[in-house]
Amino acid sequence: MFTKTKNNWLFYSQNRLCILCGLHPASATQVCNACLDDLPWIVNACLCCANPLTTGKQSQVICPTCQKKRPPFTQVIAPFEYRFPIDQLIQLAKFNGQAHYLNPLAELLSEHLRDKPLPELIIPVPLHRKRLQERQYNQAALLAKRVAHNLGIPFSNRLLIKETNTRHQAELDRQARSKNLRNSFHCTSSPPASVAVVDDVMTTGTTAAEISKVLKAAGCQQVYIWIIARTPKELHLF
Ligand SMILES: [Zn+2]
Ligand SMILES: [Zn+2]
């Protein structure tokens, strides 16, 4: 009985169809090779903030914003622009209670990170406990845990907490976003020298900057920001 169930599971897992087209066999990321090619990969981005650059060919550059004032984080790594179908998967996972869509996203992020500098610890962008009660889960924590497992790096859901239940960042402009978050994150213990902070999307980078400041003030030297998707600057709402 066990063998039969196990064989059925193996058959299912080896013959699963792509979650995007439903037509072709999926790879380990649950997406088929044709759909993988069509994803909105960022091919040329600022080496610091990962903002997609519009210059034609791939180059090793820091964008004018980061040149003017270097952000507190060491580097943002983002495989995708926040566009279809990645935006749809993230929204389904975040707001429609379909957390299973986080699994392929975490697999895609893990694959993208294989040749990148790795930190000593992986943490999620924390949610305030009231927000966590409303949503039932922190999508960033589910992503971070799976990525940490895939890469064999320790994960902590406790190092950084959000003590103040701030307004939704999407309701605010850039300046108000920064003020809204000030002093809302706290380290509960000393961080290691290098930490990666995982989130689903990065828009203006205000949250990443605030968290990086808090981690650095607590003794962390390198703060990497790992996200699934980056909103291109021209698409910022404010
Ligand atoms: Zn497909
Ligand atoms: Zn930049």
Side-chain angles (χ1 to χ4, degrees), residues 3-198:
T3 311
K4 191 172 174 229
T5 311
K6 195 176 163 198
N7 285 342
N8 283 348
W9 181 82
L10 274 177
F11 177 84
Y12 174 70
S13 65
Q14 285 168 2
N15 293 279
R16 256 190 303 192
L17 293 175
C18 169
I19 56 159
L20 294 175
C21 66
L23 297 172
H24 306 119
S27 68
T29 58
Q30 300 182 35
V31 178
C32 76
N33 289 336
C35 288
L36 270 180
D37 285 346
D38 284 344
L39 291 177
W41 297 96
I42 295 179
V43 287
N44 193 19
C46 169
L47 285 177
C48 180
C49 72
N51 198 30
L53 299 170
T54 46
T55 47
K57 59 177 197 280
Q58 199 158 359
S59 50
Q60 304 272 307
V61 287
I62 305 283
C63 77
T65 312
C66 292
Q67 276 179 24
K68 210 165 139 194
K69 190 180 177 207
R70 207 54 191 251
F73 40 76
T74 309
Q75 189 182 30
V76 179
I77 292 180
F80 303 111
E81 283 191 27
Y82 189 64
R83 288 198 281 112
F84 182 84
I86 294 293
D87 57 350
Q88 303 291 307
L89 292 177
I90 289 175
Q91 283 178 32
L92 284 169
K94 203 164 161 177
F95 301 114
N96 290 53
Q98 301 192 54
H100 57 277
Y101 283 120
L102 295 169
N103 295 337
L105 293 171
E107 295 303 314
L108 288 163
L109 180 58
S110 306
E111 281 302 309
H112 188 73
L113 289 162
R114 297 236 179 246
D115 59 345
K116 305 285 190 295
L118 297 178
E120 291 169 65
L121 182 74
I122 296 181
I123 65 169
V125 169
L127 274 186
H128 186 266
R129 60 186 161 73
K130 278 207 173 134
R131 201 62 65 78
L132 189 60
Q133 276 167 5
E134 283 164 25
R135 197 179 288 167
Q136 312 261 307
Y137 56 88
N138 176 0
Q139 77 285 352
L142 296 179
L143 283 171
K145 202 169 184 180
R146 192 156 175 141
V147 170
H149 173 79
N150 288 345
L151 300 178
I153 295 171
F155 161 84
S156 171
N157 211 357
R158 287 292 308 158
L159 174 70
L160 189 76
I161 55 166
K162 193 169 186 198
E163 283 192 338
T164 318
N165 193 15
T166 51
R167 284 176 65 191
H168 283 285
Q169 289 290 89
E171 299 166 4
L172 307 166
D173 65 21
R174 183 186 276 270
Q175 218 176 6
R177 281 177 185 228
S178 186
K179 204 172 164 196
N180 186 40
L181 287 180
R182 210 164 292 153
N183 301 323
S184 63
F185 297 105
H186 288 273
C187 271
T188 58
S189 57
S190 292
S194 62
V195 172
V197 185
V198 173

